[in-house]
Amino acid sequence: MFMRKGINLIPSSALVLLSIALLLPPLVLNIWRAYSNVSSWQITEWLISYDGGFVRRGIGGEIVKTLSVVFELSPSLTIIILSIFSWLLLVFLVLRVSRGLLPSYIVLSPVFLGMPIYSDFVIRKDVLGLLVLAFSFLVIRNWDGIKKYIAVTTLLVFGVLNHESIIFYGFPIIILAEISVNKNVDWKRNLVPHIPLLLVGLAVVINKGTVETALHITSFWNSFFTEKYPRFCCYAENPAAIDAIGWSTQRGLSLSLSLLSEFVNGFIYVPLAWILTIFICLQFGRWSLKKAAARQFSKIFLIQLFFVSPLFLLGWDFGRWIFFVTVSSLLWVSCFREVEISNKYLDYLDRIEYLGQQFNQKELGFFGLIVGVPVCCWSASSVILSTPAGNTLYILYKLIQ
């Protein structure tokens, strides 16, 4: 009780400064790791290009290639600038649309936009995908007529070419948003304008990539590095994410399914640990909002969890999939405050999962110091290192060493 009173006396501005201060060291560490390792998953995901033909995720490599040539920047530095700019812009948009709903130190928490920094995936395409979703929501909210459909379809086509995961966390909720905003509009009518998007999605699924495609992409970047940036040269084999585009669906499934028999520390069942992590994120998001918005967040969270669930089978970066769910749910609640989602099944699930208001916003800001969502591979150490407190202590320990 005494601690709670002390926390509530702290000015909100101090909590904002604390949240920013805690984010800066891991952000610098993420940037340094990405820049110093061109074979990392972070960098190589952006290097997937169309040099081996049309392939999923290839537009990022074309953008990096073009910007590197035009501005004479190394691909690694170009990728880092693109990633950090995308994150800052997403933070700006979320803070703007969520004004009055929750404080900025909650937005920057490890459940929302702090997660990619604390869990070390800010230098990936996930933030850019959610930025596309944020712009799509704003277009749906503020525009009408044919220009709205053209703009949203264009944004989502880019999103799919950037990373096909947006098909799961973006497309269904966009249709739901259009139905909800336009009220009583048949979902088929909202689907028709997005036929080009569906065709692009089909093309991406068909052209998922092969080992030969990955070899061509690797060969291009080896030539590019040799000619322009020899210090980054060369890949002896297909690196990380470039190699992964040649993986079979069965390989991706096998990684996820292997978790069904995994225990850590001899007694923690990993699937249950991930379920608990998702549940904590749901409660955190709900506690951070006022009553009406909190109920809507809970319902959208459950809807998004359903649509994103195939990703939990196709890949084991569960932390990234949770990030899609939490941030897209917050974006919905912020952009469509006047829209109420009501369904007897959702209402029932909402009543079951709700634990009551355990923390106010300031208390939640401090609770967030010990909340962590590892990017993948759940373990006690990975959870601790993805919390603001654990991450900060780890960096201090390394500096002292």
Side-chain angles (χ1 to χ4, degrees), residues 135-163:
F135 279 123
S136 300
F137 279 170
L138 291 174
V139 168
I140 291 171
R141 187 183 72 175
N142 299 319
W143 294 11
D144 55 25
I146 190 67
K147 69 175 184 178
K148 176 183 74 173
Y149 288 110
I150 291 174
V152 171
T153 299
T154 301
L155 284 166
L156 289 181
V157 164
F158 172 79
V160 171
L161 294 175
N162 173 64
H163 200 293

Side-chain angles (χ1 to χ4, degrees), residues 35-322:
Y35 187 76
S36 61
N37 183 10
V38 294
S39 297
S40 66
W41 283 89
Q42 288 90 334
I43 293 296
T44 56
E45 182 177 68
W46 280 95
L47 294 182
I48 298 169
S49 64
Y50 296 139
D51 290 289
F54 180 78
V55 69
R56 62 190 173 118
R57 311 177 192 177
I59 199 168
E62 298 302 314
I63 293 172
V64 170
K65 188 193 312 179
T66 302
L67 292 178
S68 292
V69 171
V70 171
F71 294 103
E72 298 183 348
L73 297 172
S74 70
S76 295
L77 186 56
T78 302
I79 290 165
I80 289 168
I81 292 172
L82 279 172
S83 299
I84 301 305
F85 176 77
S86 297
W87 183 80
L88 289 172
L89 184 54
L90 183 61
V91 169
F92 171 78
L93 286 176
V94 173
L95 288 176
R96 183 161 184 169
V97 298
S98 66
R99 188 176 299 164
L101 284 179
L102 73 174
S104 54
Y105 55 82
I106 297 292
V107 172
L108 297 174
S109 72
V111 171
F112 294 118
L113 292 179
M115 191 192 302
I117 291 178
Y118 291 121
S119 299
D120 194 11
F121 61 91
V122 70
I123 313 294
R124 293 195 75 159
K125 294 181 176 182
D126 304 332
V127 170
L128 180 57
L130 282 166
L131 189 59
V132 168
L133 182 64
F135 279 123
S136 300
F137 279 170
L138 291 174
V139 168
I140 291 171
R141 187 183 72 175
N142 299 319
W143 294 11
D144 55 25
I146 190 67
K147 69 175 184 178
K148 176 183 74 173
Y149 288 110
I150 291 174
V152 171
T153 299
T154 301
L155 284 166
L156 289 181
V157 164
F158 172 79
V160 171
L161 294 175
N162 173 64
H163 200 293
E164 68 280 5
S165 58
I166 200 171
I167 295 172
F168 300 97
Y169 71 83
F171 184 57
I173 200 172
I174 286 293
I175 298 299
L176 179 62
E178 291 177 345
I179 292 172
S180 301
V181 170
N182 295 325
K183 301 203 179 186
N184 301 320
V185 176
D186 183 12
W187 67 270
K188 295 178 183 177
R189 181 179 170 185
N190 285 286
L191 193 61
V192 170
H194 298 303
I195 288 177
L197 169 64
L198 298 176
L199 293 175
V200 171
L202 181 62
V204 165
V205 171
I206 293 172
N207 297 278
K208 60 180 288 299
T210 63
V211 174
E212 289 73 23
T213 306
L215 285 170
H216 283 295
I217 295 170
T218 302
S219 176
F220 166 79
W221 286 111
N222 280 341
S223 299
F224 187 89
F225 288 141
T226 301
E227 179 183 351
K228 296 182 178 295
Y229 302 97
R231 67 181 292 249
F232 294 110
C233 191
C234 284
Y235 296 125
E237 57 185 6
N238 295 333
I242 294 176
D243 180 56
I245 65 169
W247 289 4
S248 65
T249 303
Q250 288 75 14
R251 182 171 179 181
L253 287 169
S254 67
L255 291 174
S256 297
L257 293 176
S258 67
L259 299 179
L260 293 176
S261 58
E262 186 173 344
F263 287 81
V264 294
N265 303 114
F267 67 96
I268 301 175
Y269 186 45
V270 170
L272 286 180
W274 277 116
I275 291 171
L276 178 60
T277 301
I278 293 170
F279 184 74
I280 290 172
C281 289
L282 170 57
Q283 296 301 320
F284 188 99
R286 179 160 188 162
W287 292 334
S288 66
L289 295 160
K290 297 175 182 177
K291 288 185 178 179
R295 287 195 298 271
Q296 291 307 304
F297 176 89
S298 176
K299 293 173 186 178
I300 295 298
F301 188 103
L302 294 171
I303 291 171
Q304 284 295 82
L305 187 61
F306 172 77
F307 285 122
V308 170
S309 59
L311 292 177
F312 287 86
L313 292 175
L314 296 172
W316 66 353
D317 287 355
F318 289 1
R320 294 168 62 203
W321 316 154
I322 294 170

